[in-house]
Amino acid sequence: MVIKYSNDFKESIVSLHKVGRSANSLAKEYNVSVSTVSKWVNQADPNNTKVLSANERALIKENKQLKEELDIFKTSSGAYGEKLIIKGRIPTLKIINDNLQVGHRITKILNVLRIPRSTYYGYIHWKPGKTLLRRNFIKQKVLDAWLKYPMYGYPRLTILLNRQLKIKISQRMVYKQMYALKIRSRMTKRINKPKTHTEYDQRPNLIKGLPDQSNILLTDITYIPVKNTWVYLASVYNPVTRRVISYKVGSHMTKELATDVINQVAVKSVKPSIIHSDMGSQYTSDLFESTLTRFGIKHSYSRKGQPGDNARIESFHSILKREYINFQEFKTINEAIAGIDSYIRWYNSDRISLVA
C-alpha cells in the first residue's frame, strides 16, 4: 500500500535535514525510506535540476539563454546587424570585447548581434591605409601648429603647414581636422574702450582716392588694459607692406606720445610724403603739426567718426588685441611694453599674411 505524506510532514523532514540531521537517522526515526527523504531534500533545492522534469529543465535552459542574449543586447543599446555595424569598426569591436570580458562566447555574441564572422575578423585584422595614415599625420601637425599659434584659423594654418611639411594640404583638409579636434582660432571680441571726441573743424583727407599709397604712413593711438587702468600704444604703420614702422607705449595719451613715434620714423631715415591720422587732439596739436612741418611731411586726416578712413592701422590694433592683448593680464606698464614689443616683432617678421 502506497503511503501519502502531507506537505507539512515533508517540509518538517527537510527542515530537520537542513539543521544537520542525516537522511539515515530521519528515515529510522520517522519510518520513511532513505531514498524518500533524499528525494524530498533534493526537490526542496531550487538549484538542483536533476529532480526536475524534462520540460522544466528545458524552460530553465531557455530562460538562461534569454538572459544571456538580453545582457549582450544591453551593451549595444539594442542595436544589432547593420544598425550596429554602421557605427564603425571601433565602437563595434568595443561592444564585442566588453561581452568577451564578462565571459560570453564569441559565437553567441556574433549570433545575437547579427554580425557576420567575416566582418568581425576583418575588423580584427584591419590595418590603416595610406590615406588614413596621411590624414592622421596631418591631424597631429594641425594640432601642433595650433598649440604654437592659437590665433591662427584654418587659412593661415594651411599656409604654415604647406611651408613646413613641403606637401600639398588643402584648406578644406585643415578645416576638417580642426573641426574634428574641436579647435578654432582664439580671436576674441573687442574689449570696450573709452570714447574720444574732437571739437576741431574737419581737416582735409589727402589720401582718399589716391591711387599710389606707397609713400604714405598711418598713425593712431589705442588703449591697452593694465591692472584696472589703461596705458596707450602709439603706432606708425605702412599700409602697403603691412608692417609696423615705429611704436611706443606711454602711461598717458599725450601729444608727446603721438609725436615720439614720428621722430622714430625720421631717425630710421624713413621719409613719407604723407602721414594720415584721425582728428584727435594729439594729432591736431601744435607740437604734432610742427614736427611734420619740420620733416617736410603733409598731414592727412580721417573724417570725424569714420575710423574706416584709417582702416589699416585700426585693423592692426584690433588684431593685436584679439590675438594677444586680450589673453594677457599685465600688472605693470613694463610688462605691457615687453609683451607688445615681442608681439610686434613677431607680427612684422613671422606672422602669416593672407594678402598677396
Side-chain angles (χ1 to χ4, degrees):
M1 185 178 72
V2 177
I3 300 176
K4 292 185 178 181
Y5 298 98
S6 67
N7 289 333
D8 290 341
F9 180 76
K10 294 176 183 178
E11 290 174 1
S12 65
I13 296 297
V14 171
S15 299
L16 290 170
H17 183 271
K18 287 181 179 180
V19 297
R21 295 286 300 275
S22 67
N24 286 330
S25 67
L26 290 171
K28 290 178 181 180
E29 181 177 346
Y30 292 97
N31 195 26
V32 182
S33 67
V34 175
S35 62
T36 300
V37 173
S38 298
K39 179 182 177 182
W40 292 345
V41 170
N42 288 332
Q43 287 177 337
D45 184 359
N47 297 319
N48 191 338
T49 60
K50 293 181 180 179
V51 298
L52 300 176
S53 66
N55 288 337
E56 289 174 328
R57 287 196 295 270
L59 287 172
I60 290 175
K61 182 178 179 180
E62 183 180 356
N63 184 65
K64 184 177 180 181
Q65 290 176 345
L66 290 173
K67 183 179 183 304
E68 182 180 19
E69 292 176 3
L70 180 61
D71 290 342
I72 293 173
F73 270 126
K74 285 180 179 178
T75 62
S76 68
S77 300
Y80 61 90
E82 289 297 326
K83 289 185 178 180
L84 176 58
I85 294 172
I86 202 172
K87 292 183 177 182
R89 183 181 65 89
I90 294 176
T92 302
L93 278 179
K94 183 181 184 305
I95 290 170
I96 293 173
N97 290 332
D98 287 346
N99 280 292
L100 287 171
Q101 288 178 4
V102 297
H104 298 305
R105 294 169 295 118
I106 186 61
T107 302
K108 187 68 174 179
I109 298 169
L110 297 180
N111 287 339
V112 171
L113 297 179
R114 298 185 185 178
I115 299 173
R117 294 179 72 88
S118 59
T119 299
Y120 170 64
Y121 287 108
Y123 282 168
I124 289 179
H125 299 298
W126 174 88
K127 292 182 179 179
K130 290 183 179 180
T131 300
L132 182 59
L133 289 173
R134 181 178 185 272
R135 188 182 299 120
N136 288 339
F137 171 76
I138 292 173
K139 187 175 185 179
Q140 183 60 50
K141 292 301 180 182
V142 167
L143 179 59
D144 293 342
W146 180 82
L147 289 172
K148 187 174 182 180
Y149 302 107
M151 68 288 293
Y152 280 176
Y154 71 90
R156 286 189 171 87
L157 285 179
T158 302
I159 296 172
L160 178 65
L161 292 173
N162 280 317
R163 288 179 183 176
Q164 291 180 343
L165 304 179
K166 308 297 183 183
I167 60 175
K168 182 62 177 177
I169 303 173
S170 68
Q171 286 191 5
R172 178 175 174 79
M173 170 62 77
V174 175
Y175 173 82
K176 289 173 68 176
Q177 299 314 313
M178 291 183 72
Y179 183 83
L181 290 164
K182 297 181 180 179
I183 58 176
R184 58 184 297 178
S185 168
R186 73 173 189 181
M187 295 282 277
T188 63
K189 296 180 179 180
R190 298 179 180 180
I191 294 177
N192 292 331
K193 64 181 183 180
K195 303 295 183 181
T196 57
H197 304 278
T198 179
E199 297 178 358
Y200 296 92
D201 293 335
Q202 181 63 54
R203 298 183 183 183
N205 184 334
L206 304 178
I207 67 172
K208 184 175 177 61
L210 194 66
D212 181 11
Q213 300 196 0
S214 59
N215 206 26
I216 295 170
L217 295 179
L218 313 176
T219 188
D220 194 20
I221 296 177
T222 192
Y223 300 79
I224 307 295
V226 174
K227 198 176 182 180
N228 301 322
T229 187
W230 301 95
V231 297
Y232 306 90
L233 169 67
S235 310
V236 174
Y237 190 81
N238 187 320
V240 176
T241 64
R242 289 179 168 80
R243 295 293 181 269
V244 181
I245 305 302
S246 63
Y247 53 94
K248 185 176 181 180
V249 177
S251 56
H252 297 88
M253 187 165 58
T254 62
K255 58 185 178 182
E256 287 79 13
L257 177 64
T259 305
D260 282 346
V261 291
I262 302 300
N263 289 326
Q264 291 179 30
V265 170
V267 170
K268 293 180 180 181
S269 298
V270 178
K271 188 176 179 181
S273 60
I274 299 175
I275 289 283
H276 184 85
S277 73
D278 60 27
M279 287 280 295
S281 60
Q282 298 78 21
Y283 298 116
T284 55
S285 67
D286 291 341
L287 176 63
F288 191 85
E289 298 289 7
S290 63
T291 300
L292 293 184
T293 300
R294 179 159 48 91
F295 293 131
I297 303 172
K298 297 178 181 178
H299 195 175
S300 173
Y301 305 85
S302 298
R303 290 168 295 169
K304 295 180 181 180
Q306 298 293 326
D309 287 354
N310 212 5
R312 291 286 171 82
I313 193 167
E314 292 276 359
S315 176
F316 161 67
H317 285 159
S318 174
I319 290 171
L320 166 68
K321 292 176 180 179
R322 295 167 67 197
E323 287 189 351
Y324 178 68
I325 298 296
N326 294 349
F327 297 92
Q328 310 304 311
E329 293 183 357
F330 298 128
K331 294 181 175 60
T332 66
I333 188 173
N334 289 332
E335 285 186 8
I337 290 171
I340 291 170
D341 178 76
S342 176
Y343 176 87
I344 290 179
R345 289 177 185 275
W346 173 78
Y347 178 91
N348 278 348
S349 60
D350 295 326
R351 186 178 186 273
I352 292 174
S353 174
L354 298 179
V355 182

